[in-house]
Structure formats: C-alpha cells, structure tokens
Amino acid sequence: MSAEAAALRLGTTVAKTAADLWLGGKRRQQERHLSLAELVRVRVPGLRLQRSVERQFGQVTDAVFDRLEPYLEHEFRGLDEAGRQAVIDAVCDTFARADLSDEAVLAADANAAELIRRITTSVPPPVGLNEAESRLYEVLFAECVEYYVRIVRSLPVFEERAATELLARTATLGAEVARLLERLPDRSLLAPDGTDRDTAFRRRYLELVSRDLDEVELFRRTSDRAAGPRVRLSVAYVSLRATGDDGTRRRAARPFSGLRPGMSDWEEAGGESSGMRVEAGLSGASRVLLRGEAGSGKTTLLRWLAVTAARGAFSGELADWNGLTPVFVKLREYSGRTPPNPDAMLDGVAGPITGIMPKGWVERQLDSGRALLLIDGVDELLDRERRAVRDWLRKLLVAYDGVRVVVTSRPAAAGVDWLRAEHFTAMHLDRMSPPDLAAFVRQWHQAVRELGEDLPCPVDDLPLYEQSLLTSLKDRPHLQSLAGTPLLAAMLCAMHLNRGRQLPRDRMELYRNALHTLVHDRDADRNVPSAVDSKLSLSDKLVILRDLAWRLSDNNRSEISVERAAVHVGRKLRAMRHLDGLEGGQVLDQLRHRSGILRSPAEARLDFVHRTFQEYLASAEAAEEDRMGNLVERAHLDLWRETVIMAAGHANARQREELLGGILDRADREPRHARVLRLLAASCQETLPEVSDGLAGRLEEAVSRLLPARRQTDPPALAAVGTSLLRRLPRSLGELTEKAAAQTVRTVALIGGAEALALLARYADDDRDEVVEALIEAWGYFDADAYADEILARLPLAGRQVRLTHSGQWPAVSRLGSIDNVWITHSVTDLTVLTELRPFRQVAFVALLGEVDLSPLVTQTSLVQLVLTGRASLKNIDVLGEPPALEILHLGYRCLPDLGELRLGANLQFLSLHNFDASLDLALLRHDPIRWLGLYANDICLPRSVHALSALPRLTNLRLSRIDIAAWLEAGPFPPPTVTDLSLWDCALPDDPAALELPGVNITVD
C-alpha cells in the first residue's frame, strides 16, 4: 500500500464518519454502514443538492489526505507492505467500532485527547502488530480522531431541515475544514524526544503558534474603511531577496527619471544578479543577523518562519528545518526590563498556555538543538537596552550553542559587526525587484479574498483590481520606484482597493502617505516603546527632516556625516521652542533608528533611504521657507529636476508664478539651457494644483517650442513631461518627416498608458520604414495582446525584425501570421514554443539557459538564418542539419558544441562561432559549402588546428576577433589560401606590419 493510497483511505474514513453524524444522526444508525455516496442519496433530496453535499465532504477527504500523506511517506519507509496494510486496516477498524456519536463527542467535551482515552478503554486494541506498527497505529488513530473532532466542531447541530437550508449550511464546509486542518502542525519523527507531557505540550504549543502568528494586518492609513482587517500570513507571504551585508551598501545610481522600464523587467531573470532568495541565505548559516530598512519585511519573515516551522511545512532550501520548534521573541515587549530567560520566552506568543508548560521545556528544546530562535526588533529598543540584549544573547548561545538563531534589526541600530563575535552572518533584505513586486501584488489580492464582506468591493472583482494595479505599476515608473518594500507596496495595494481601482496621478499624495507611514504612524500603531516615549509629533519630525533634506540638497549631496547632521538638527531644535531641552544628537538618533526615512549607508554616515524622499522633503522646505529663487537658479541641473517639480506642487499661487515664470524667463535669456528649462517647466504641470491664465499660456508656448521630437535624445526627455504631453502631440504623423515621426512614436511609447496606446493606434497606418520599426520596437512597453491586436496586426511585418522581450508576447506571435523574423532577447529554456507557430525565415535566441533540446527546430522548414547564444548546453544538435533552407548559423557562449558533433545542411554557407577558447579544434569543422566564417574568441587565443581551414574549398570571407594572428602566422598558413576578404577586430597582431601585406586579400583591421 502506498502512502498516497493509505492517506486517501484514512481521509475517506474520517470524512465518512463525520458525514454519518451530519447526515445520518442518532435516529438512523443503520445508515452508518452505507457508503458516503449512498448515504447522501438516502438523506439528501435532489440530484443537484446531492452532488453539492458529496463534493463538500470530498473536500474534507482531500484536506485530511493533504495532512497525512507527507507523514505516511516518511513513516512507510520502515515498514513492509503487510505491515502498512495492517496498520491502516487497524485504524479504520477502530474508527468503525468506536462510539463517535455526537453524545460521545459532547461527553468528552469535544476534546480529542479525552475522546481517545474513552475509545481506547472501550475498544480492544488491534492484535498482531509489532512495536513499530503499534506505534504508528497509535499516532495515526490519534491524528484521525483529532481531525474528526475538529470537523465535528465545525458542523452545525443536525436537525431535519429543508433541502435548500441544508445546501446553504454545507456550501463552504469543505473549504473551511481544509483551512482548519491546514493550520495544524504536521506530525514528524524529527520532533525532539522528551516525556509524554513534553510531546503533548509541544503539540499544543505548535498549534497555537500556527494559528496565532498566521495573521498579518493590512495597511490601515489609506482610508477609514481599511480599519485593520487581518488575513493569513501564509497566503500573503512573498519570498524576498537578500544579499551578504558588509555594511557599505550604497544607493544605486538613479536612472533618468523619464525613462520607462519595459515589460521584460517584470519577468523573473534566469540569473538573479540582484541577490539570492532569503530562504537560500538562511539555509546556509545557523546564526543570521538580518538587517533591513523600515517596512522591508523583517518581522513578516520571522512570523512566516515560525508558522512554517510549527506546521513542518518547509520545502526547498529550508526542508531540513522541519521538526524545529520555533521560539519567537518580540524585543519591544521587553523595553524597560530584562530580556527573558528561556522559561519566559513563550510569554509573548503562548502566554495563555505557559501555565501548563512542563518545567524546563524550553530549555530542553534549546539544548536538543531542535529549536529555532527568532528574535525580532533590535532597533525597537533604546540604545542602552540593545547592549543588554547583545549580552543576553551571548550568554544564551554559550549555554545552548547548537540552536539556530535569526535576529532582525534596522541597519542604523545594529551594524554588520554587532554580533560578529558570536559568529553571526550578516544579511540585508533587498528592495523588491519588479517580478517580486508583481508576486507581492498577486499574493496580497489572494490574501484579502478571505475578508469577504469586509472588502470595499465584491470578491469577484479582485482580479480586476489586481490587474489594474499591475498595469499602473508598469505604466508609471515612480509608482514602481516607490513600492520597493512590502510596507509601501501594501500601502499602494490598499489605497488602490479603497479608491475603487484609482491611484492619484499626482505623486505628491503618494509620497505624503508614504512619509507619514514610515516616519510616525507605523510605530505609533505598533506601540513601539521608543516611539511612545518620544516628545516628537509627526509635524515635529517632518520639520526636522525637511530642514536636513534641504541642507543636503543645497550642497548637492546625498549623504552627510552623522556628527554634522546632529549639529544641523540641534540648530533646528533651538528654533522649536516647545521642544526645549532636547539635544540634536539624541533626536537624530531617534530619527535614524525609528523614522524609516534615514539610514546609515556606511559607518558614521547618513542619508535618506530613498532619493525621492529627500527631494520631496527638500521641495516642501523650499516652499515653507520661500526659496523659489534658489530653485530657479538651479533649474537647469538634472540633480534638482525632481525637487523643482515637487516644489511646484507644494508652492502657493504667488510662489508658483515666481518659480515657473522665473524658469521660463531663463529659457528665453539662456539659449544654452533653453530646452532643458522648457522641459522642466512643462513637467511641473504634473504637480500643479492650478495655474493662472497667463502662466498657462506661457507653458503652452514652451511645449510648442519643444515639438516635434527630432533627435535621439528627445523621446526620453519629452516623455518625462508625462501624460499631459499627449494632448499636444499630432493625431496623425503625415505632416512630420520620417525621422520626426519615428521619434514621436518613441516618445509616446515611453510615456505609456492607455491614452498613449490609443494614440499609437492612430499612427499604425503610417507605412514609412522608420515609423513601422519604431512601432514594432514599442511593443515591449505595453500589454502584449492589446498592442498586438490594436497595432501590430495592422503593420507590414513581413521581412522586418520583431523583437520579443518577454514571454508574454509569444501567444500574440501565433496570431500575427505575417511575422517571419523574430529576435528573442528574453531568457529561454525550452524551444517547444516553435512547434505551435508557423515557420519563420529568421530566428535568433540570444539568451538560452540550462539544457536546451533543439529538436523543435525540425518544424522550422523555412528557416534561412538561425542564432543560438546564451548560457546553455545544447541537446540533439544534429537537428541543425535538418532545416533544408538554412544558410546562416551563429553559435556562441556555452552554446558552442563539440564541432565533431556538428551536422550542417548542404545549403549552409555562413557560420560564426562565438565565445570559445584555445581548446576549440577547427580540424573537426568539415563542411565544404562554407563561404563565410566568423571566429569570435572570449580572450586572445589561437584555436587548435587552424591549418585545417585550408581544407575548406569555398571559404572566401574570414572575420576574426580576439585571435592571436602572430601565433597563426608562425603556425601557417595564414590566411587560408582561398580567402579574399579578411576582417580583424581586437586581435593580437604581429610586430612587423609588413607581415599583413597579403597580395589579393582585402584586409580590414579595427
């Protein structure tokens, strides 16, 4: 008997017994011997209702199956077939003989342990089982009774009811039972050994952890309607990335603000250069200090680790953590008092049951090496308390050196060396990449489904909300940039949900909400001690942060020394009379540790966690202190661009006139900066709440002087103006030159959004080459299907190269029958997609990964040119000889096979080999039709057997890159005698230039 079959039989037994009670009841005991299907047919009228009730109890069966199958898979390994069958028969037989009626359950107070005791005293134990079989029988029977009691407790009391009411009562029964059983910890032989009381308490404790920590509160501050609903963390959790932390993390250079990322950025890359998954990092170290900025997901990760450990549900890199006992310690609960001794570590999570905890139970878990100690929030304590925590942890690890530990903190509160002496590995939680953000949005909407009537929209509308938000994130780069942490991403999700799928086009409100959340609201909501005791209000904090942001920007800096920043804060405090007595260093430390806005990128240095926040605060300070003149003077500098735009939003009417009028006056006076200044003035329209008629006219004139786009640098610059520019662009390209028309298309594509897509659709009738190519290129910025149907389907695509930048474009390709030349730039591991498409003339896969089977190429009977490059190894390369029309082949970078295995078709005349080293043996290249050969090495080298090229009778063109020509001349002959055209690029040439004077050979040297 397989584990799967055994789990299914036990699940069926439990569900059938529950159905007996629910459908049969005490008045029809004879019906308890019917099958479930028969019982339903007897007790439920109507075929439709019968099918519905049977389906619900089928879900109960599946829920029990899911709980037992992994455990049985492990346990059955030590038993033979007869032993397995005997154990399962014994459990099912005992269930059949036991009194599991509603009276029996109630007599046991619906307590599984008491019901098991009553059954074992009234039903004789099975005979003929050996010791291992008996132990497994006892565990399985106890587990099934546990499930049965929980299921029965979830059933309404049985009464004769109308069929419609019976259906309504059971409509969600299966799903509710599945959810209930999912939260129970898994049985595991890996559990620490101990007394019977230890095992029983561990079971109850894990159940409590699994239930109570499996909740996460949604973001509450976007609307009064979102008043703290809670959803399952195990549903909402998204794996994040982490990197090794050396304490010198610097902000990456910000790309030009007008540049819009393409849809390819939202696909998971094959090689994750931005860091490993945090689970992989945790699996490689037993002691980890996990650092991350405010809202980066530190606490959520620890709660997920605790819940998953309690359920024994780890997989992948953390699979060997199953069987660990999680101990979750929230340090903020110990502010002002000594960190807990082992016997008090459960108080925060399991306080209601610590009174029945066996004496020394936590110590035994720690001593066994099967404990998982999760310590959250070093940064949430005062500085003097952090030192005490480090000493407490050091002593704890001396006593229990085998325990696994994860400690979290914001970087400002604990440097990478804070626990170095205790052999901790420091890791840093990274900002979410676009694929991480997309996964977060999907999981967030999946989690809130469980809120049901508490949602501000019908549950069935959630997919529309999810897709709408993802579209906004993809179309609006500043949204994507802001939502780099789970906290701020959740803020956007909640705001979008509460506003009926709308987010403000104005960034100002988004940044204001984010700042209030990070600076004050989050700590206040969580009752963080250092925040509760603070004398600083939200307004006070923002005043200080605004001043600091302006001082940094005013000096064209993004960071400052902590010492110098403390001086600035002290000066500001002296002007804030209600905060008399506070010192600059003290307040700065509080803001560093708790504001969520400041961080330490290096020892004794300080900067804002995101450049956007510095710019927003500096712009607010400029408006508050009436520094419009300063902004006008610096308006031509790219470093000040965003600050000026947001200052226009903060400014009052007089200040707006001064700021924008001054910028446009400079544009008239200074031809050198005129274009930049007019672009900036036009971009300010995004944040302007209103504008006078006179200034509106000047802005319109400024935009008119910027159009149309002509130069290659124009589209990104113009796109930075935003969607307001679209109404100024022509509805038709007919009056523009071909070059200006193509640049206009690129401008619209970079702006993005539904309005931009509609405008590009109007341009699709323009058949000029550059315009068509620009329209094809724009595909990567929009929803693949919508763009293909509305624009590409109307373009003359035959003979034109169509680039596929992400996998979502493939379904559309099958509908665009005129495409015959595709260039695939996204990662590809499987070529079977080619079997579903019409034959192409030219195909290029430039980012192959893994082990790639070339067999699907046999379907490409019209193929003339093929490119295969990337980090892949190729299988069935003999297929390269199959396409009858193939003339040109490019192979490279780990795609390069042993040339002895290469079989080429009779029509192939052009061959290029890329990214090889000196081990390449050209003697194996035997293909007489080759006329053109390219050899592009990784580094300067000379392939083996270069003389063998002289045996290629038709070789006339030879292109060489990073080849040692000097060595080839010595090995001879060079070039092969049939070559008439020779191109050398980045090659090692002989000292004597005369050596390359080759009669009859046209040589190009780069």
Side-chain angles (χ1 to χ4, degrees), residues 61 109 312 316 418 542 651 713 853 958:
T61 300
D109 295 326
W418 196 66
L542 291 176
T713 55
D853 186 352
L958 186 61

Side-chain angles (χ1 to χ4, degrees), residues 377-395:
V378 169
D379 54 287
E380 296 179 352
L381 298 177
L382 301 175
D383 185 56
R384 64 178 180 275
E385 294 174 328
R386 294 183 207 129
R387 291 191 291 269
V389 165
R390 182 165 53 186
D391 292 339
W392 163 76
L393 185 57
R394 180 184 297 116
K395 293 175 182 177

Side-chain angles (χ1 to χ4, degrees), residues 435-446:
D436 296 333
L437 179 54
F440 182 94
V441 171
R442 286 192 292 269
Q443 289 301 107
W444 193 93
H445 285 84
Q446 179 63 30

